[in-house]
Amino acid sequence: MRALNIGLAIVLAAVCAANLFVAPAPDRPPTDIVIVGRNMQYSRAAESYAASDLLPGGTVLQVPPSGTIPRGVRLARFDATPEGAIKAGAELKAPPTADGDRDRGAVVFSTFCTPCHGGKGLGDGTVVARGFPAPPSLLAPHAAQMPDGQIFHVIAYGQGNMPGYASQIPDEDRWRAIAYVRQLQRSATP
């Protein structure tokens, strides 16, 4: 047992000494002790206007899809009014979603929308049972015909008794929640 303890102490001292050698110092670059995967660790960044055989158009820089919102851009150009919602409905288009986005949309819907709109979007959430005015059903024809951009605006700025969620729900999650609502609407339509 004593030999094991001495052996572990020697290993600990060796690891500490190696850590001092590998530890970053401000006057020298970090020591690279992992050789496997160097190409991933030190990949070259592509120049924006460089040629590419892999991407459409033959260049690295791609044109964003029409009507999409760049990451990090806020909706400052839309007023928090019904007219602003209509304008957002005409100008904003939902980005393409993947199946994982719909799963995240279900989580966002469950967290922020279910208390009022209910689990199926019928407007029968728990706050309605406690006396709060019932919100409109998300399965009603008016909601089903509302453009995605307008729903995005309503989630951000609110409407009627609904508060705005711009500070709680990031843009990407708003689009995911809209995708989930569209899925609810499709499943409810015979």
Side-chain angles (χ1 to χ4, degrees):
M1 186 71 157
R2 184 173 180 189
L4 178 64
N5 287 340
I6 292 172
L8 289 174
I10 292 171
V11 169
L12 178 64
V15 168
C16 289
N19 189 35
L20 290 174
F21 172 73
V22 176
D27 59 338
R28 66 172 191 223
T31 305
D32 185 12
I33 58 174
V34 178
I35 304 300
V36 179
R38 279 183 79 89
N39 291 340
M40 291 180 70
Q41 186 175 359
Y42 297 107
S43 62
R44 288 185 8 203
E47 294 293 326
S48 297
Y49 295 97
S52 171
D53 296 333
L54 302 174
L55 297 171
T59 62
V60 172
L61 185 66
Q62 298 292 300
V63 177
S66 174
T68 58
I69 303 172
R71 176 171 274 180
V73 172
R74 295 285 161 209
L75 293 175
R77 67 179 190 260
F78 299 108
D79 296 329
T81 62
E83 295 79 21
I86 292 170
K87 182 180 176 188
E91 292 183 19
L92 298 179
K93 305 293 181 226
T97 59
D99 290 334
D101 287 345
R102 285 192 190 92
D103 292 342
R104 174 67 184 159
V107 171
V108 172
F109 184 87
S110 175
T111 303
F112 294 98
C113 309
T114 298
C116 296
H117 289 282
K120 296 181 181 177
L122 297 172
D124 59 352
T126 55
V127 297
V128 175
R130 299 194 191 309
F132 196 78
S137 169
L138 298 175
L139 307 182
H142 172 73
Q145 295 167 359
M146 190 180 288
D148 290 346
Q150 189 171 353
I151 296 173
F152 186 90
H153 185 279
V154 169
I155 295 171
Y157 295 113
Q159 175 177 293
N161 288 332
M162 179 180 163
Y165 287 98
S167 63
Q168 290 115 324
I169 306 175
D171 294 355
E172 298 85 11
D173 279 350
R174 279 183 246 156
W175 288 119
R176 292 171 182 140
I178 292 167
Y180 180 74
V181 168
R182 295 302 190 202
Q183 181 180 341
L184 286 176
Q185 292 169 340
R186 283 190 299 273
S187 66
T189 304

